[in-house]
Amino acid sequence: MLEKPETEFLGLRGLLTQALKQGDGAKALKLARRAYRIRPASRWVAANLFDLQVQAGDWPAAANTLKRSIKNKLVDKCEAKRREAVLAFEEARRALDQGDYDKALRLARKAHKSAADFQPAAVVLARIMVEAGSLRRAAKTIEQAWGQCPHPDFPEIYFKAKGVAEPVAKLKAAKRLASFSPDQDRKSTRLNSSHTD
């Protein structure tokens, strides 16, 4: 099947599916690359190739696949933004590991801007800001991210950004952070409407 151009893609699809089921990432990636060269406009192949490149930590290749997928209209804008955020986030983590704080900060900002509800990006961005001494910005980043979608890592960073260590001060800061909760608007609306009845 693989030798004939008219059946090569079908053969690759079968082998790729099998490699994915067996958990053989290296083989699956090799097959996905080959299938992608034949049919770059195939949504299934592009999605699998992107996922496999991300799993392998090949961020530049994943970014290129994403760019081509956007161009071929294989992903919608929302999903494209989320994938861009994931890629920028992973590159920010790698830059942090290498001690390149400026690059990490730039990439974490890009990740957070691409998908404000992607909490890991907000966590990394706020941590970098705290380490850089931008405490107000870090606190504001966490407050905004908490308002989008609370995350268990936010309070610890928020306390550092607010410079609080004592239990009473932490409680006060936690109450402030909780006031940014997405549920808070609904609660206050219900309270206000119950007073007018």
Side-chain angles (χ1 to χ4, degrees):
M1 257 181 121
L2 294 178
E3 286 77 33
K4 296 181 180 178
E6 59 275 7
T7 58
E8 182 181 9
F9 182 77
L10 291 174
L12 286 169
R13 185 174 175 133
L15 291 171
L16 176 54
T17 301
Q18 186 178 24
L20 289 169
K21 283 181 183 175
Q22 293 172 347
D24 189 346
K27 183 177 181 181
L29 181 56
K30 185 177 177 183
L31 292 164
R33 284 183 185 133
R34 187 171 165 189
Y36 190 72
R37 281 193 295 274
I38 297 169
R39 291 212 187 145
S42 167
R43 187 178 308 264
W44 182 84
V45 172
N48 277 295
L49 179 59
F50 177 82
D51 290 344
L52 289 163
Q53 289 166 329
V54 167
Q55 289 170 19
D58 191 350
W59 313 122
N64 188 44
T65 299
L66 178 57
K67 194 181 296 183
R68 289 183 70 185
S69 294
I70 293 168
K71 184 180 176 186
N72 290 332
K73 296 182 176 28
L74 301 178
V75 291
D76 62 36
K77 285 183 182 181
C78 185
E79 181 61 22
K81 287 287 185 192
R82 185 132 184 103
R83 289 181 181 189
E84 286 171 350
V86 170
L87 292 175
F89 166 73
E90 291 296 345
E91 286 191 83
R93 284 187 1 166
R94 186 168 39 167
L96 263 181
D97 291 344
Q98 295 169 348
D100 190 343
Y101 290 97
D102 291 337
K103 184 177 181 181
L105 180 62
R106 182 175 44 78
L107 289 165
R109 278 190 178 130
K110 179 181 176 183
H112 185 60
K113 186 178 178 183
S114 292
D117 64 338
F118 182 51
Q119 302 100 325
V123 169
V124 168
L125 178 58
R127 280 192 178 137
I128 296 168
M129 288 175 167
V130 166
E131 288 181 30
S134 298
L135 302 181
R136 254 189 237 174
R137 284 187 176 173
K140 186 174 175 106
T141 298
I142 293 299
E143 290 167 357
Q144 289 171 343
W146 187 273
Q148 291 281 324
C149 187
H151 188 277
D153 288 344
F154 289 162
E156 178 191 335
I157 303 159
Y158 191 67
F159 297 152
K160 287 180 183 176
K162 288 291 194 179
V164 296
E166 299 298 317
V168 173
K170 282 185 174 183
L171 180 60
K172 187 177 177 182
K175 285 181 179 179
R176 175 166 169 74
L177 184 59
S179 74
F180 292 94
S181 174
D183 296 342
Q184 203 60 31
D185 291 335
R186 285 186 288 228
K187 287 177 189 172
S188 62
T189 302
R190 280 197 304 259
L191 284 174
N192 289 336
S193 65
S194 67
H195 288 296
T196 58
D197 291 344

